[in-house]
Amino acid sequence: MGDGLVGDGVGAVARRVLAALDGRRQIASLERAGELPSLAAAYRVASAVRRARAARGERPVGRKIGFTNTRMWDEHGVRAPIWSTVYDTTLMPLAGEPAFALAAVVEPRIEPEIVFGLARAPEPGMDEAALLGCVAFVAHGFEIVQSLYPGWRFTAADTVAAFGLHGALLVGSHSAITPGTAAAWRESLSAFTVTLLRDGVVADEGSAAEVLGSGPLTALRHLVEILAEDSDGPPLAAGEIVSTGTLTRALPVAPGETWTSRLSGLPLPDLRLTLA
């Protein structure tokens, strides 16, 4: 708490980023302008944002973990993952012939991700088998990420204050984890690959290893551990969904494009999304 951003200073920054979100407009880097002195201060702002969004009727339903893909660290000047909140207003099912309106977000990009649904709350110190025992289902999803900062130029603290870059999480069909399938899931979650296509043309490829070196369960463990040290962030609870970070680069998107994500080595169907 020694960074000077307390009380109304936190509230003022929270109100500023919420106004930018609601107005679909971008702002200058808060940290570079001296308004956000540390990552710890940014998480206090994120807590104030979460309270404000809940007060106006947006219900928190889970978390997104950002910057788990180490390929992106040098590009964005980060050295560790961050987390943010997913709301009932930003969580959407992918079914039928889905479309997403990009007018809802600013400077959007798309990320294919693995999403977990929690049956019970995971605890610090759990190994991967125990973590997977807390998971009710696995799904394939697209996160539409956005940047309140022009040109995707920001610091890690900037991203935490501005919703962890979260715009929307679009989740495909759920595949249940049962005691009889848990071992196979644990193995495949560390060894699968993904192909991301724009209008039928390969745009990027990735793998489980892109996520903190060993896969989505490692990202979940990381989130559990950092939340245990975070007095401003509530611990994970049963019923939450957790999106574990992009498997490829986050790529710019435009209206009229159709994006497809194909997994190899995981028993999850392809995702297809048209952008409007």
Side-chain angles (χ1 to χ4, degrees):
M1 290 281 195
D3 51 41
L5 190 68
V6 295
D8 194 56
V10 170
V13 177
R15 289 190 292 273
R16 187 172 178 198
V17 296
L18 271 173
L21 174 73
D22 294 341
R24 307 292 189 264
R25 59 182 176 80
Q26 293 177 303
I27 59 177
S29 163
L30 295 164
E31 182 172 346
R32 292 175 184 134
E35 298 179 65
L36 200 61
S38 69
L39 190 61
Y43 276 111
R44 293 200 295 278
V45 170
S47 291
V49 167
R50 186 168 57 251
R51 290 191 297 271
R53 293 183 75 160
R56 68 189 195 180
E58 297 185 76
R59 182 171 59 88
V61 295
R63 318 297 170 95
K64 64 81 48 94
I65 317 173
F67 299 124
T68 59
N69 189 321
T70 55
R71 260 203 291 171
M72 299 174 64
W73 286 9
D74 287 341
E75 179 182 354
H76 294 297
V78 300
R79 286 295 175 268
I82 56 99
W83 71 271
S84 190
T85 304
V86 177
Y87 299 88
D88 59 348
T89 53
T90 64
L91 178 65
M92 307 172 193
L94 271 178
E97 292 293 330
F100 180 81
L102 292 176
V105 288
V106 291
E107 208 168 337
R109 297 187 180 189
I110 194 168
E111 300 180 344
E113 309 203 0
I114 297 301
V115 179
F116 294 134
L118 298 182
R120 60 189 63 86
E123 299 176 1
M126 282 184 165
D127 62 17
E128 290 194 353
L131 280 173
L132 195 60
C134 297
V135 175
F137 68 81
V138 182
H140 191 184
F142 280 129
E143 186 179 17
I144 303 297
V145 287
Q146 61 177 332
S147 176
L148 291 190
Y149 311 102
W152 279 68
R153 300 177 71 84
F154 43 64
T155 68
D158 284 329
T159 69
V160 168
F163 331 111
L165 308 178
H166 178 63
L169 180 62
L170 301 99
V171 181
S173 58
H174 300 176
S175 290
I177 304 292
T178 65
T181 63
W185 274 106
R186 192 165 68 251
E187 181 177 352
S188 60
L189 280 166
S190 66
F192 67 90
T193 60
V194 62
T195 302
L196 182 64
L197 302 97
R198 179 199 293 114
D199 296 329
V201 177
V202 174
D204 203 6
E205 297 176 319
S207 68
E210 305 284 357
V211 181
L212 294 180
S214 54
L217 283 171
T218 301
L220 179 60
R221 181 194 297 119
H222 178 86
L223 178 61
V224 172
E225 300 293 340
I226 62 173
L227 286 174
E229 304 296 326
D230 183 356
S231 60
D232 293 306
L236 291 169
E240 287 197 58
I241 59 93
V242 178
S243 191
T244 56
T246 187
L247 301 164
T248 67
R249 293 172 297 146
L251 297 179
V253 291
E257 295 174 343
T258 296
W259 289 79
T260 304
S261 180
R262 294 176 179 162
L263 295 171
S264 177
L266 274 183
L268 295 171
D270 295 351
L271 288 186
R272 188 171 182 271
L273 176 66
T274 298
L275 300 172

